[in-house]
Each structure stands twice: as C-alpha cells, then as structure tokens.
C-alpha cells in the first residue's frame, strides 16, 4: 500500500488513482516541492528507490537526485557523496542486471545520466578509478554491459560532444574530461570495446551493436591507433557480412568515423590502404551484401543500403580530398618560389599514385550505387561526384591535362544522371500537382492531366511542380515532390558542369539518349522526358559554334527534335512541356533554319500544346508561345493567316472563361453599416482573388498583338484582323452591361410588383364577399418558368464582372504589340479602336463603381493606352478620371490613381495643365480624407512594426475585430503618402506648379504645404524626405521669382543676390521658416539620422542645396535668423553654429553638406543614430496632419505669426475663403471642368 509520499507522486503522474481532483493534484505538487526543498531529500531518494514498486516513484527519485546533484553536490560532505555513489553503483549492478526484474529502459537511462552527473563533479580528482570500477563489473552480465554503453552515451551527450551548444564553463569541463580520459582510461575502454564485440557478436548481436554505437561517438577524438589497429579493423570488416542488420550497420558507421577522422593527407591515404577496406567495397560493383538487399534497417531510421552508400561516399571523398591537399601543397610551394625537395617530391608522387589507385578501385562501386533507383542509395554519392567534377573543372581551367580515366568516369556519371534524374513512377508521386518545366523547373497551374501510355493509350497521370507565377498553396505539392524537384536541380547542375569540361562527349551522350528513346515506340515517359530535359540543360551557356545551324553539333540535336512530330509519349504532360521549353530555348536556330518552323508551330498549336487535355500544359503553352512570337515575329509573318485562324478558338475560350466568375458583383459598392472587421475581411478576400487572377492564358492575346502590330502588314488586312479581335471583346462587355441594366430594372419591377401584391392580398382578406373563386395573386401559371428564368438571370449577373475583367485585360494584352507611332501617326484608325475600349471601360466603372478589381483593371488599361496612344488619348481622359474619382475609395486604390496621374504628368506635361487644374483639388481632397487627423505624417506607424502594433492596439480598444486589419491599413496609408509626395514631385518637376495656385479652394493648398513640411522635416524614410525637399526647391524657384540665374545646384551655390518680385507674395518667408528652418536644420539635426547610410548622405546633400537656395532667395536675413533663434534652440554649440552659418554664406554645397554631417554627429554624442526617431516640427504642439476639412495643425497654429503668417503668401482673393466641405465643392467643379476640357 502506498504511503503519502508515493501517493503524492502517483497523483502528480495521474496514474493508478482514477480521476484526480485538480485541487488534490495541486496539493500533491506543493507537497513534493516542499520535499525537494529539504536538505536531506537525496537520502529520501536513495532509500525510496530501492523499496518502492512503482516505476513512477523510481523515476521521480532519480530525477530529483539528478537535480540535487547538479545544484548542491559540491556542498555535500564526504559521507553523503559516498552514499550517493554507492547507491548508484548498487542499482547499476542489482536492478539493471536481473532478468527477472529488469528496470525499464527509461529508468536505466536515468541511472546512467545521474551517474554521469556525479562524474562531472568527481572525475578525475575524487573518483579517478571511475572507468576502472565500471570495467571491473562488466563480467557480471549483459545488463551491466548494456549500462556501460548507456553511460558512455550519456558522457558523450552531457559532457564531451561539442555538437551540442555549451557554455564556456561546460566547454572547459568537456576538454578536461577528454584529456583525463586520454591520460588514463580510454585505452582500457577501447580494449573493452573490442573484447565485448567479439564476445557478443554471435550470442547477442544487438548488445554488440550497442557497444559499437557507443564507440562510434568517441572515434573522432581518441587516438586513431586505439580503433584503427589491425585487430579492430579486421573485426569491423568481418562484421560487414554479419547476419544482424543492426550489427552490420553499427560496424559500417564505425568504419565511416575512422575514415573521416581528420589527419594529414598522406597519413589518411596510408590509413585507408592499411584498413584493407577498399578491396572489400570494390566488390560492391554488382550490388551490396545480401543483408542489405531487402531494405533492412541498420539502426535508427536509416536502411543498411544507405549506410553502405554513405561509407562508399566517405571513402571516395576522403581519398580525393587527400589527393587535392597533396597537389595543392606542391602548387603552393612552387608558387611561392620554394624548391620542392627530392624527398618531398617522391612522397607527394607516391601519395598521388596511391590515391589514384584507390580512386580507380572505388569508382566502379560508386558509379554502380549512383545508378541505383533507390534515392537513399544514390543520394549520398551525389556530393562526392559534384566535388569530383569540380576538381576536373579546376584542372581544365588551369589548362592541365585531365586524368587518363576522367573521360570514362564522366561518361559513367552522365549515364547515372540520365537514370537518377528520371521522375519516379506515378504511384510514388501522388496526383495533386502540376507538371514542371524542363530541367526541374516548373510549369503553370492546372488540376488534371492526361498522358500517353507506352502502348499509345491516353490515361490519367499525376502532375509535378508549378511554374514560377503560381502560388505553392494552390499547387498542393507534397514534400516528396519537393525533394524530387530539388534533387533534379542538383543533378542538372552536375550535368552542366560536366558539359563545361567535356562538351563534345556530353553532346554525343545526349544525342545517343535521344536516339535511343526516339527509336523505341515503347519508351517510358520518364526516359523521354529526361532525354529532352538534358538537351534543354545543355543549351545553357553552350559555345556559340555549337549553336550554328550548319555544323553545330548541339544545333543539330535541337533541330532534329524540333522537326520530329512522332516522339514517343509526346502527349504526356511532362514530355509535352519539356519539349516546348526546349523549343523556346533554341528558338534562335529557327532564324537560321526556317524550314523547321512549321513543325514547331504545329507543336504549339495541336494537342501537344494549346489543345492539350491538361490545363497546366495548355496554359504554359500560352506563355511559351508569347516568347516564341516575341523573338520570331518577323519570321512568323508568312504564317500569320493560318496562325490567326488556329488561335481564334483559343482566344475566344480565354476571353469567355475567366478564372473567377463572381468578382465584386455588387454594383452598388459596400453596403451601409459594414464594420471594420467586415471591411478587413473584404480586403483580404479581394487580395486573394487578385492573386488568383494571374491568368497565364492571357499571354496568347499578347502573342497575337505582337503578330498584328508589325508595320509591314497590309493596312487593310491589319485593320480587319484587329477589328475582328476587339469587337467581340467590347461586345462581351456591352452584353454584361445590358445584363446588369436589365437586372437592375427587373429588381425595381419586382419591388413594385411585390408592393402591389401585398395590397391585393390585403384587399382580398378584407373583402370576403368576393368568394373563393377569385384567383390568388401568388398562384401564377408560369411560376416554374419564371423561377428558371430568374435563376438564369442571377447566374448571368454573377458571371458578368468576371467576363468584363477578362475582356479588359485581353484588350490591354493585345495593345502591347502595337507601337505608338503606328497607332497615332501611320494608322490612326487602329488607335481609334483601342480608344473605343476606354469609352466602354468608363461605362463599366459607372456600373460597378466600387469593384476593387475592376478599378485596378481599368487603371491598368489606362496605363497601357497612355503608352500606346500618346497625345491622341488626351481628349478621352476627362471622363475616365472623373469616373475614377466619383466614388470614395481606399488607400490602395487611391495610390493606384496617383500612380496613373504621375504617368500622365510624365507623358503629357504642360498639355495636361487644364485637366490637372480641374482634378487636382479632388485628388488632394481624397488623399487628406484618407490620411485624416489621426494619421502620423512622420510615417512611423507604417515603417516600424512596433509603431504599427501600437496603432493596432489602439484600434483594438475601440473595435476588437479590427486589430488584425490595422497593421495592413498602416502599410497602405504609408504607401498612399509616398504616392502623394511622388505626385507633388511630378507636378513640380514638370513645370506645372502653378496648377497648385489655380486649384480652388485655399484649404487644398494649405493641406499640400503642411504635408510637404511634415514629410521633409520628420519622415522616417530619408528618401521620402529628400523627395519633399526637392519639391520645395522647385516651388521656391517657381514662386519666389528668379533671384539671378534660376534654380539648380549652380544657382544654389551662388552668393545671395538682391531679391526680385515674388510670383507668390510672402512665399520667401514661408520657405525660409518651413524648408530652411524646419526641414533642413531642425529635421536634420534632430532627425535621428545615421550618417553612415548612403541615403542619409544624399538627404544631407539635398538639404545643403536647399539651404543655399533659400539663402540666395532670402538674403542675409536667413543666416541671421538661424544664428539668432534656430541653432541656439537646438543646443548647437556657438562655434559649430558659426561654422554652419559661415558655410551657408561662403562654402560650396559639398562643403556645407560635410558641415551638416559633423553637426549631426556632434549632437548625437559622437555616435551616428538610426532613422526612426523624428522630433516634432519646431514650434508646433501637435502633429501636422490634415483633418477631414483639409486643414492641418500647423495651419491652425503656425510656428511664427499664427494663421496670418501661414496664409500671408496665399493670393488675397482666396486667403479668406472658408471651405469646410471643400472636397464636395471640388467634385462639383470637376464635373464642370472636365466637360469643358
């Protein structure tokens, strides 16, 4: 019966007592904690271990004793230490050596670990005879031998092994124990290893294997003579034929450790020769010993065959590395001018000859194992072969002759690559992923595939890999498939390296492989695929001469493949894709040999390419065809009519089958009342859908555009062909618009009908006198027909957005093949067709104003048409931009609109000014509504994870469901801010800054200047600050008048000139306080800048140029202002302040930049800071951020002179204009202005 102590232990282990109350379990735990705290707990453990019958109690005693020894052993007296050691040795001999009551393995391991814990404190000073005592009790039985092995393993794991990270003190202890064992114990232990293995190899092979596995851990640091002597090596060699797989595997591991032991190169070669193991393993050329044939396990999870393979690889690698060190030693001495003595030369030559003979004996079994179909056997040999080929490559690079047998080895390695690079059987790879591209690359997405069986039938097949554009989550590839692809990549790297040192032999080998699979109709698809993949890989970096159609050996192989239409298994997905990839790699040959072009075109257009049953193959073919057309469009011109005829069904299929059919189908946008959590979920859903819409099939439209966009085509035929392509696309959009209009009208009609029906039902209920014969309004004779029609209409409504999205993208891809000159000057009728697509797109956004992806696709179409149509598109822009801005959008969409505006600014420049003046207030208003008063214009919340997390926490307090979305929102707000500054930069640097002055209302301009000031002074990204400073510089040059020579660095470096009349009165004062003071002085000196960063130095250079420009415009008032007020307030020492002012007045921009850099370092205490800690703008008590009304905190409380100083430079007619709702006013102005542009 258990007492309270044992009961407490059992309760904590929750064993044997049924369901235990949690409170009782806590009490038991507290009781045991008190027991552990007792000074004599070690005595309790030693006593209770021997008397208890519960394994759980024994384990608790051992665990507690282990902890006590680790923490308090040094404080124990001699009697306590002796009792503990005696108890442990007693348990070892009594409880671990009795077959009737043998302790379970986990308790035996714990006893060994506890004994080793004592060893850490006692050996060798207090217990020098530890190993002798342990060896003395080995004859007592197999149980003690087993504990001997467990103790050696525990010593390695807890003390000796440096593979485990250890502290400095633990490392010192490890070295001390190893040194002590080397001095007095390890010889006896090593002798015991051999004796025990000999004793138990027959009667108990598992125990003998345990001895060898323990020994293996010590070989790396003991004297090599203890384990590599004649008797021990002979014993290990004999065990390679042992019937026990575990014993054979343990012997193999020990031999590997002996061979891999670090030593001098010549000694290593002599050791390998003396071990007499090379003649033994050379017999493995016909296969491994019988014990390894059936996949027996040689200990652990490794098969015995894989252990033999690793032994082979270790032997070959060590011999080759030793040979390399011998050769490099002679080369190094000769390079330094030392004479190599006769004795050293003889020794080196002898070592080289020995290594060559060993390599010659090892190569046949190495190559035989490398050709194995078992990856566990061939895999370990690959690193050695890579190193061997790298050695040959180095010899080839030094113009040294290759070894006599090198070419023979290379041919054998090529054969091994051709075999091991084959895909495994279908059953071994699963069936959920898509086929890869040639050479272990990847292909496009797809769900199903078909392949030709060797007998010619078409059957379902698995697909492997994905193409680079497809997400791994969609591919569903298994870990095994990933390993296959990685292994193929490594094999093909080896193959290409062989091609660089033995190119003719490699070409001949690939030709032979291709000839072999082509001549056998029953070739397996794996053989055909790898043959074509080798040809594909050989084309990477091939010599130019080999790629000449006339006489080039590699070119002849490629042309033969291109002209062959009956390749076995050519319709298998893997083979089909590899062949098409190979055609594209060697497409330059088609320019030299156009006679094979029809055969290549047929491969792309028939059921080996676009018409392949596998969606993955047909999709990838669209991309590969675009690459072919891009390079050979002139060569393909004679085939244009037939090409267009063959491609038309595919074009129609792609245009009418989008990947997603239900995309933002709610034309009215977001419903009212949707919370932040729903908005975040909608954003994530839209992002996932956008990723899913990467449709590689659309490359086929790009191909057709490239074919039709050639100037040499007949104008009439070209126009007719383009019209036949564009009209169906635009009609598809028109039909979708009609569908939505009809659905909207039907919805209104249904609402009216339901209201009338409700009235009728109400009247019938109130007038019973009409009798039961009156027909019910709900009983319509065509009810089932109406339901079917309604369902069909609903499906059409859901599919409409996807069809529109696909059609617009098809138009965009089609336009990529046409030059602007062709569409606008040579053949403007073609440009008019594309311009019509923009008009249809405007109507699309009118129907789906809030569809995120349709807006993105429309903006993308605009980007393309701007490049294609140039100035001819300008009259079409007002309605397009108006429809984009009529709907309130999020930050990402607004950033896309600003990016579009930047493109328009760069393309059209001053021609855009009338439209820009109309649209600019709306753009500014949208930005400042999205970046409202809560936004930190310094960009910290978007730049640092900590700040973003703080923002998320603040949002979570008010709306717990929105916390996950706020991090992404901060990033989106930051991107919008950057796009906003880039827009201002484009306006200023395209001579359109006066549009800011002409754009009503005044609050818009106030918002712009406040945002620029904050960005230039405090933004955490130095590139953003530099952009803002550049905008300020251009505005100064435009609005302050030319003070003598215009803007730029030359003008900035010139001395101050008498001021001239300002274009914008008062702007000089504003520029001096905001650009010169806040951005270039306060922001730089208190900005936490890291002057070691190149971006920071670029900012300092821009700030220096800006300071010189402000000085040139404002004269001596500016340096006086800095010296009197600004620099002292920043704590700049007077001497440094004087140097800054003097540099501003007299030095060059480069010298001023250096002066600023030194001041930054000085104010940071001599240590350059890091970006991220930006000070508040001087003179403001709250962040400069624009609220919904567009006003900023700085505009309310200006740094000097309040609101009057802030608005003094504004035109008088606008300075007092109150605009509390100026965004709506700007929108109304946009409608009027765009109609007149």
């Amino acid at each position: 019966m258990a007492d309270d102590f044992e009961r407490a232990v059992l309760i904590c282990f929750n064993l044997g007592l049924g369901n235990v109350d949690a409170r009782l379990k806590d009490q038991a735990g507290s009781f045991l904690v008190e027991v552990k705290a007792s000074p004599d707990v070690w005595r309790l453990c030693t006593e209770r271990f021997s008397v208890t019958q519960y394994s759980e109690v024994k384990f608790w005693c051992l665990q507690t004793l282990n902890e006590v020894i680790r923490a308090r052993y040094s404080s124990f007296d001699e009697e306590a230490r002796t009792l503990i050691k005696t108890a442990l040795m007693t348990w070892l001999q009594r409880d671990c050596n009795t077959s009737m009551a043998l302790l379970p393995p986990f308790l035996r391991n714990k006893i060994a670990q506890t004994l080793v814990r004592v060893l850490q404190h006692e050996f060798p000073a207090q217990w020098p005879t530890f190993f002798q005592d342990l060896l003395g009790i080995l004859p007592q039985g197999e149980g003690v031998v087993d504990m001997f092995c467990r103790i050696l393993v525990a010593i390695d794991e807890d003390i000796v092994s440096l593979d485990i990270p250890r502290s400095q003190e633990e490392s010192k202890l490890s070295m001390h124990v190893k040194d002590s064992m080397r001095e007095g114990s390890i010889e006896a232990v090593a002798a015991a290893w051999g004796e025990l293995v000999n004793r138990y190899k027959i009667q108990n092979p598992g125990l003998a294997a345990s001895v060898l596995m323990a020994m293996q851990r010590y070989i790396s640091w003991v004297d090599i003579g203890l384990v590599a002597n004649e008797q021990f090596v002979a014993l290990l060699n004999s065990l390679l034929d042992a019937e026990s797989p575990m014993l054979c595997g343990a012997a193999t591991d020990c031999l590997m450790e002996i061979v891999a032991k670090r030593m001098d190169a010549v000694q290593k070669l002599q050791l390998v020769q003396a071990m007499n193991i090379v003649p033994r393993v050379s017999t493995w050329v016909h296969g491994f010993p019988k014990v390894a044939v059936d996949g027996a396990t040689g200990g652990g999870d490794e098969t015995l065959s894989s252990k033999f393979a690793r032994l082979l690889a270790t032997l070959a690698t060590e011999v080759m590395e030793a040979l390399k060190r011998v050769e490099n030693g002679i080369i190094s001495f000769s390079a330094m001018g030392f004479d190599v003595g006769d004795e050293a030369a003889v020794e080196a030559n002898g070592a080289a000859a020995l290594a060559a003979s060993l390599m010659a004996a090892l190569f046949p079994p190495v190559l035989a194992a490398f050709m194995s179909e078992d990856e566990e056997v061939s895999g370990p040999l690959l690193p050695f072969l890579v190193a061997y080929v790298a050695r040959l490559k180095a010899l080839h690079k030094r113009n040294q002759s290759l070894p006599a047998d090198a070419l023979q080895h290379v041919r054998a390695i090529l054969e091994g690559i051709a075999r091991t690079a084959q895909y495994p059987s279908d059953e071994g790879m699963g069936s959920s992923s898509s086929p890869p591209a040639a050479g272990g690359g990847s292909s496009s997405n797809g769900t199903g595939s078909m392949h030709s069986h060797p007998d010619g039938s078409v059957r379902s097949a698995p697909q492997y890999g994905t193409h680079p554009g497809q997400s791994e989550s969609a591919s569903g590839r298994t870990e095994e498939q990933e390993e296959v692809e990685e292994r193929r990549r490594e094999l093909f790297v080896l193959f290409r390296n062989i091609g660089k040192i033995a190119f003719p032999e490699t070409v001949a080998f690939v030709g032979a492989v291709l000839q072999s699979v082509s001549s056998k109709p029953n070739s397996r698809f794996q053989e055909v695929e790898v043959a074509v993949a080798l040809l594909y890989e050989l084309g990477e970096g091939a010599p130019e001469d080999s790629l000449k159609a006339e006489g080039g050996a590699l070119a002849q192989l490629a042309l033969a493949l291109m002209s062959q239409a009956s390749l076995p298994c050519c319709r298998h997905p893997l083979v089909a894709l590899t062949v098409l990839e190979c055609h594209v790699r060697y497409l330059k040959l088609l320019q030299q040999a156009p006679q094979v072009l029809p055969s290549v075109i047929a491969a792309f257009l028939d059921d080996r390419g676009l018409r392949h049953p596998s969606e993955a193959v047909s999709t990838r073919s669209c991309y590969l065809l675009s690459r072919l057309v891009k390079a050979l469009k002139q060569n393909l011109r004679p085939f244009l009519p037939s090409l267009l005829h063959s491609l038309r069904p595919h074009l129609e299929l792609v245009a009418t089958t989008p990947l997603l059919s239900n995309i933002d189908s709610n034309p009215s946008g977001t419903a009212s009342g949707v919370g932040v959590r729903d908005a975040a979920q909608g954003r994530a859903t839209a992002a996932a859908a956008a990723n899913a819409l990467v449709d590689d099939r659309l490359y086929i439209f790009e191909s057709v555009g490239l074919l039709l966009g050639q100037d040499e085509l007949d104008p009439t035929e070209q126009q007719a062909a383009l019209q036949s392509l564009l009209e169906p696309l635009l009609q598809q959009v028109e039909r979708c618009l009609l569908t939505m209009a009809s659905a909207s009208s039907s919805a209104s009609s249904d609402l009216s009908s339901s209201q009338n029906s409700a009235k009728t039902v109400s009247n019938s209920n109130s007038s019973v006198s009409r009798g039961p014969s009156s027909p019910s309004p709900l009983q319509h004779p065509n009810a089932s027909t109406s339901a079917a029609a309604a369902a069909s209409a609903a499906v059409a409504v859901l599919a409409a957005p996807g069809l529109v999205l696909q059609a617009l993208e098809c138009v965009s891809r089609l336009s990529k093949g046409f030059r602007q000159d062709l569409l606008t000057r040579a053949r403007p009728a073609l440009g008019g067709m594309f311009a019509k697509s923009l008009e249809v797109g405007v109507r699309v956004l009118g129907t789906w104003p809030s569809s995120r992806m349709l807006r993105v696709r429309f903006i993308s179409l605009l980007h393309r048409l701007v490049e294609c149509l140039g100035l001819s598109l300008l009259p079409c822009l007002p309605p397009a931009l108006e429809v984009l801005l009529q709907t309130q959008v999020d930050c990402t969409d607004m950033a896309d609109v600003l990016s579009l505006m930047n493109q328009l600014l760069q393309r059209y420049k001053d021609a855009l000014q009338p439209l820009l003046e109309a649209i600019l207030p709306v753009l500014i208003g949208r930005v400042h509504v999205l970046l409202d008063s809560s936004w930190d214009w310094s960009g910290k919340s978007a730049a640092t994870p900590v700040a973003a997390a703080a923002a998320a926490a603040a949002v979570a307090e008010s709306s717990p469901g929105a916390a996950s979305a706020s991090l992404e929102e901060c990033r989106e707000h930051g991107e919008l801010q950057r796009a906003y500054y880039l827009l201002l930069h484009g306006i200023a640097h395209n001579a359109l800054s006066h549009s800011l002055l002409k754009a009503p209302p005044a609050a818009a301009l106030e918002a712009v200047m406040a945002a620029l000031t904050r960005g230039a002074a405090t933004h955490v990204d130095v590139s953003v600050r530099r952009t803002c400073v550049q905008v300020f510089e251009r505005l100064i040059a435009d609005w302050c008048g030319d003070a003598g020579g215009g803007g730029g660095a030359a003008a900035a470096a010139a001395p101050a000139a008498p001021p001239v009349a300002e274009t914008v009165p008062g702007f000089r004062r504003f520029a001096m306080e905001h650009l010169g003071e806040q951005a270039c002085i306060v922001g730089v000196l208190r900005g936490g800048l890291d002057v070691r960063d190149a971006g920071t130095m670029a900012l300092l250079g821009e700030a220096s140029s800006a300071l010189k420009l402000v000085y040139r415009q404002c004269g001596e008032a500016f340096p006086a202002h800095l010296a009197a007020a600004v620099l002292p307030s920043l704590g700049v020492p007077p001497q440094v302040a004087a140097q800054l002012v003097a540099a501003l007045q007299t030095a060059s921009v480069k010298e001023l930049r250096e002066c600023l850099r030194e001041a930054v370092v000085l104010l940071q205490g001599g240590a350059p800071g890091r970006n991220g800690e930006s000070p508040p703008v001087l003179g403001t008590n709250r962040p400069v951020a624009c609220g919904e009304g567009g006003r900023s905190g700085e505009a309310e409380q200006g740094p000097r002179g309040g609101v009057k100083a802030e608005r003094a430079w504004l035109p008088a007619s606008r300075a007092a204009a109150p605009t509390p709702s100026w965004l709506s006013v700007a929108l109304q102005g946009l409608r009027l202005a765009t109609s007149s542009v």
Side-chain angles (χ1 to χ4, degrees), residues 891 895 935 942 970-980:
C891 292
W935 175 245
C970 287
R971 187 196 64 79
E972 292 174 355
H973 282 67
E975 291 300 321
L976 174 59
Q977 183 180 355
R978 292 170 185 269
Y980 183 38

Side-chain angles (χ1 to χ4, degrees), residues 717-737:
E717 295 178 357
Q718 186 180 40
Q719 183 175 347
L722 180 61
Q723 185 174 4
S724 67
L725 291 172
L726 284 178
E727 278 191 356
L729 296 173
L730 300 183
Q731 288 172 2
Q732 177 173 311
V733 177
E734 295 282 0
R735 287 194 299 270
C736 292
L737 294 176

Side-chain angles (χ1 to χ4, degrees), residues 69 252 321:
I69 292 172
T252 305
E321 288 298 321

Side-chain angles (χ1 to χ4, degrees), residues 121 153 187 226 228 263 313 462 472 548 726 738 761 863 865 982 1028 1066 1136 1153:
H121 295 275
V153 171
E187 292 184 6
L226 297 177
M263 61 184 69
E472 289 188 6
K548 293 181 179 179
L726 284 178
L738 288 175
V761 172
H863 279 294
L865 295 182
L982 289 176
C1028 295
V1136 176
R1153 184 192 68 175

Side-chain angles (χ1 to χ4, degrees), residues 82-139:
T82 302
L83 288 175
I84 292 174
K85 290 187 290 186
T86 302
L88 289 171
M89 294 299 290
T90 300
W91 300 337
L92 187 153
Q93 300 173 65
R94 182 191 67 195
D95 300 328
C96 299
N97 197 32
T98 304
S99 58
M100 298 297 295
L102 189 64
L103 292 176
F106 72 91
L107 288 179
R108 282 180 279 164
N109 284 336
K110 205 65 185 176
I111 290 175
Q113 294 168 7
T114 307
L115 193 57
V116 170
R117 186 69 68 186
V118 173
L119 183 72
Q120 292 179 343
H121 295 275
E122 296 274 342
F123 183 80
Q126 285 78 32
W127 199 355
T129 61
F130 171 79
F131 288 100
Q132 285 73 13
D133 296 344
L134 194 59
L135 295 173
I137 62 175
L138 289 180

Side-chain angles (χ1 to χ4, degrees), residues 1033 1049 1051-1054 1075-1076 1080-1081 1084-1085 1091 1096-1112 1118-1119 1122 1127 1136-1161:
E1033 289 182 282
L1075 175 61
C1080 298
I1081 295 296
V1084 166
L1085 297 183
V1091 296
T1096 299
M1097 293 307 297
L1099 172 63
L1100 292 181
E1102 202 67 52
S1104 301
S1105 177
L1107 286 171
K1108 299 291 285 186
L1109 182 60
V1110 173
Y1111 171 59
R1112 180 172 181 78
F1118 179 49
L1122 294 180
L1127 295 176
V1136 176
Q1139 292 175 354
L1140 274 175
V1141 172
L1144 174 63
Q1145 294 172 317
T1146 60
S1148 65
V1149 172
K1150 186 176 181 180
E1151 292 169 339
L1152 179 57
R1153 184 192 68 175
E1154 185 62 23
C1155 192
L1156 275 177
R1157 188 192 69 82
E1158 294 175 357
V1160 169
V1161 174

